[in-house]
Amino acid sequence: MESRTRVLCALGALATGVALGLPQNAAAGPDPVNQPLADGCQRNPVGLLSYSSPEWVFVGGKQSGDPLRTIEGSSTIVHTADEDLPQSHASYDLDWDVAPDPQYLGLLAGDPNANGGQGNGNFAHDADQGKLHVEWESGSVPSFVWPTEGDRVKLWGQWIWDCGHWGQGVVTDQSNPQGSLSGTGDYFLPGQVEGTAPAGLRGEQTELHPLQAVVVNRTASNQAIAPERETDVFASNDGTHALGEEQCARSLTPLPGLPSYGPDFSACVNLPSNQVQDVHGRAYDFFVPAPPKPFAGARLRYREDRPVVGSGASETVTPLSNGLLVHVAFDGVPAGDTALHAFGARYFVGWEGQDSGPTPLRFTLKRVTVNHSLDPNRNRATQTGPPPGEYNLYMNLNGNWNFIGGHGATGALSGEWAPGLGMVSDGQSLDVNRDVVFYVPAGAPVRLDISGRECDLPRIDPCVVNGEVSDGNDHPGEAIATFPSASAALGD
C-alpha cells in the first residue's frame, strides 16, 4: 500500500480520462466493489494497523490457483514510496504504474463508465487511471533495474488486490456552502466495514505485488558508451512481507463474525518461509531489441554485464536479426527451497561498424538547501514532529538512480552522498559535491528528477528510528528538470 499522489502526468490523465474505454477485444477485469471482499479484503483500518487484516490478497482468493501474472507496457510515475505501513515493510516500496498493452487490460479491475462516468477500481479518475500499479520493496530490487519514465517493461508478479485503499478522497465543493464530497482518491473511509458498499464506492485496485522478475528495455541507455540499446533484467524469489500476507490470507480463516483474523495470522505472516516466492521450474522469456540497422550487411554484436551474482538460475541467449531472445530459468532451485535466489544482468546490443556514439555528460550535485524541514509541520495536527527533520532524497538521472541521503546518525546507507540529510533544520545547506558520469544517445533528452520523503513513520529502511508519532510522512516536494538534448543540458 502506498498513498502517494503525484502531480506529474495527472493533468494528462484527467484530460483524456473521459474518453478512456476498453478495446472491444479486451477481457473485462474483476469487479472492484464486491470481489475484493469475497477474495479476502476486509476494509478494516484498525485491522490493517494491528496485523489482524491483510493489506494484500490474491485476486481470486482461496481459489486463485497460480497468482503469478505477466504484463508488458510502458512505465510512468516511477518513484520510491512517500509512505508505507511500518507493520508490513522492511524497506520503502519501489512503485510505478504500467500503461498496459491492450492484451493485458484484463488485469485491471473496474469500469471507466461506473459511478456516472467517474470510473471505479483501476479506472477511477486519478493519476493511476487505466494503469496497473506495481510494487516491490526497494531493498529487494537493485537500483540498476529501476525504470524511468517511458521505459518499456515486461514484468512477472503476484496478481493481488490492494486492500488498504478502497474509498473516495474528500473534495470540498466550494459552490455548496455546506460542502459536499466528490472525486476519487487513495484514502481510507474508516466508517466502512466488511459487507458495505455505499453508492459510488471506488473499490480496491488490482496490482502486481510483489514482483518476481523485471525486464526494462531502456528508451535511452545511460550506460551505453557506444550506439547500443540497453535492456536490464532482475529476477528473485524475495516475496517480502507482502507475499506472507497474501499466502496467509489464502490459507487461514477469519474469526467468526468479525472482519479480522486471529493471532495465527500475524504468526503466519512473519514466518520467513512464507515470504519466499516459489520459483522452482519458473522461466522468463524476453526480447532484447537492437537499434535500427545502420546499413545493409551490418553485423549484430552484443555484450552482457552481471551486476548481480545470484544462484539457482541459468541463461540462454539466442541472437536474432534484430536483437536477442533471452531465456532465464530457475532450474537450479529445488522444489520447496526457501533460500533466496536471484539473477541480474544488463544487455547492450549494437552493430559492428557503427561509430558515432552517445554523448558523455558529467552531472555534479553541488548543494542541497532545505527550505522547510517539516519538523514541526504546523499544517498537520496529526503528527508530533520535533526538530530536526529526517529527509530521504533520491535522484533519477535518465534512469541512473542514486540515494542522496539521509540515513542520519545511524550510519551511511551504501552509496549515500549526504548523510546529514537525516537531521536537517529550516534554511540549512549541505555541500554535497558528488558527480555522476552518464551517456546520452543521439537525439535523446535529459531528465533529472529529485524527490523523497520526510521520515515521520519510523522503522522502514532507510528512515531512522525516532520518537515521532504520525499518521503519515511529510512530503518535501519534487524537482524535475528536462532538456531536449545533451547540449541543451549543459550549464550551471
Side-chain angles (χ1 to χ4, degrees):
M1 180 184 70
E2 192 271 328
S3 60
R4 183 175 193 178
T5 301
R6 292 279 297 264
V7 175
L8 181 65
C9 298
L11 291 178
L14 290 175
T16 60
V18 175
L20 182 66
L22 295 174
Q24 291 184 352
N25 61 347
D31 167 24
V33 176
N34 299 301
Q35 185 172 334
L37 294 174
D39 290 346
C41 289
Q42 298 182 318
R43 297 178 182 162
N44 181 1
V46 175
L48 289 169
L49 297 171
S50 62
Y51 269 142
S52 61
S53 283
E55 195 172 341
W56 310 279
V57 300
F58 294 128
V59 177
K62 297 183 184 300
Q63 288 76 44
S64 59
D66 183 2
L68 195 75
R69 295 292 186 273
T70 305
I71 190 170
E72 296 180 78
S74 59
S75 294
T76 185
I77 317 182
V78 187
H79 62 285
T80 57
D82 275 354
E83 55 192 41
D84 280 315
L85 288 180
Q87 294 86 343
S88 54
H89 292 80
S91 62
Y92 279 96
D93 285 322
L94 173 68
D95 298 297
W96 75 93
D97 287 350
V98 178
D101 293 346
Q103 64 268 38
Y104 299 102
L105 282 169
L107 294 174
L108 277 60
D111 179 356
N113 300 312
N115 296 330
Q118 291 297 309
N120 63 7
N122 297 63
F123 292 96
H125 282 200
D126 55 23
D128 298 328
Q129 185 188 19
K131 304 166 191 170
L132 189 72
H133 192 64
V134 300
E135 300 186 11
W136 207 356
E137 286 197 22
S138 58
S140 298
V141 52
S143 60
F144 84 91
V145 80
W146 293 13
T148 191
E149 300 295 312
D151 284 343
R152 288 281 305 174
V153 294
K154 184 174 185 179
L155 311 173
W156 289 258
Q158 308 295 333
W159 192 33
I160 58 95
W161 293 108
D162 177 5
C163 300
H165 304 97
W166 64 87
Q168 278 74 13
V170 178
V171 180
T172 302
D173 182 356
Q174 299 297 333
S175 66
N176 182 348
Q178 303 302 317
S180 64
L181 304 183
S182 63
T184 58
D186 224 14
Y187 303 94
F188 291 123
L189 284 184
Q192 297 169 1
V193 296
E194 185 175 14
T196 65
L201 186 70
R202 190 203 73 177
E204 288 80 356
Q205 293 182 329
T206 53
E207 299 178 353
L208 294 189
H209 183 187
L211 298 175
Q212 190 174 104
V214 176
V215 177
V216 180
N217 297 132
R218 298 286 179 185
T219 301
S221 171
N222 63 73
Q223 295 292 312
I225 60 176
E228 301 167 321
R229 290 286 304 274
E230 176 184 351
T231 294
D232 303 329
V233 59
F234 177 74
S236 168
N237 63 344
D238 187 354
T240 71
H241 190 101
L243 181 72
E245 295 211 14
E246 295 152 11
Q247 302 262 46
C248 298
R250 179 163 64 175
S251 63
L252 300 176
T253 301
L255 295 171
L258 294 176
S260 62
Y261 286 77
D264 56 342
F265 179 75
S266 176
C268 176
V269 168
N270 288 292
L271 194 65
S273 60
N274 285 332
Q275 300 183 14
V276 178
Q277 303 183 71
D278 181 10
V279 295
H280 171 70
R282 295 287 189 194
Y284 317 95
D285 293 289
F286 53 94
F287 180 64
V288 177
K293 198 170 187 177
F295 53 86
R299 296 178 57 187
L300 189 78
R301 59 173 172 77
Y302 73 94
R303 58 190 176 92
E304 178 181 353
D305 292 340
R306 286 287 187 90
V308 173
V309 179
S311 62
S314 67
E315 172 203 45
T316 303
V317 178
T318 304
L320 303 176
S321 62
N322 59 345
L324 309 175
L325 186 63
V326 181
H327 176 83
V328 174
F330 278 114
D331 46 12
V333 178
D337 186 14
T338 58
L340 290 179
H341 299 278
F343 174 90
R346 280 177 166 147
Y347 304 89
F348 299 89
V349 182
W351 302 93
E352 295 287 355
Q354 193 174 14
D355 298 326
S356 57
T359 300
L361 289 183
R362 182 185 303 275
F363 171 80
T364 301
L365 180 63
K366 298 179 179 178
R367 185 178 303 107
V368 174
T369 299
V370 178
N371 295 319
H372 302 291
S373 71
L374 300 176
D375 270 348
N377 185 346
R378 296 175 180 83
N379 295 322
R380 290 184 62 214
T382 53
Q383 64 149 309
T384 64
E390 303 86 17
Y391 273 25
N392 291 165
L393 293 182
Y394 300 81
M395 183 181 77
N396 173 17
L397 188 58
N398 273 24
N400 185 319
W401 289 83
N402 286 273
F403 182 64
I404 300 174
H407 227 218
T410 63
L413 194 68
S414 177
E416 185 177 17
W417 287 6
L421 284 168
M423 296 182 292
V424 297
S425 302
D426 289 3
Q428 180 180 355
S429 287
L430 294 92
D431 290 328
V432 180
N433 292 316
R434 295 287 295 267
D435 52 31
V436 171
V437 175
F438 66 106
Y439 294 83
V440 183
V446 175
R447 183 180 188 275
L448 171 67
D449 180 350
I450 296 180
S451 63
R453 67 185 71 88
E454 200 278 314
C455 298
D456 296 312
L457 293 174
R459 293 197 305 112
I460 309 178
D461 189 69
C463 283
V464 298
V465 176
N466 56 52
E468 297 181 6
V469 178
S470 177
D471 63 342
N473 286 335
D474 290 313
H475 311 306
E478 182 174 43
I480 300 176
T482 58
F483 307 92
S485 66
S487 60
L490 298 178
D492 193 24

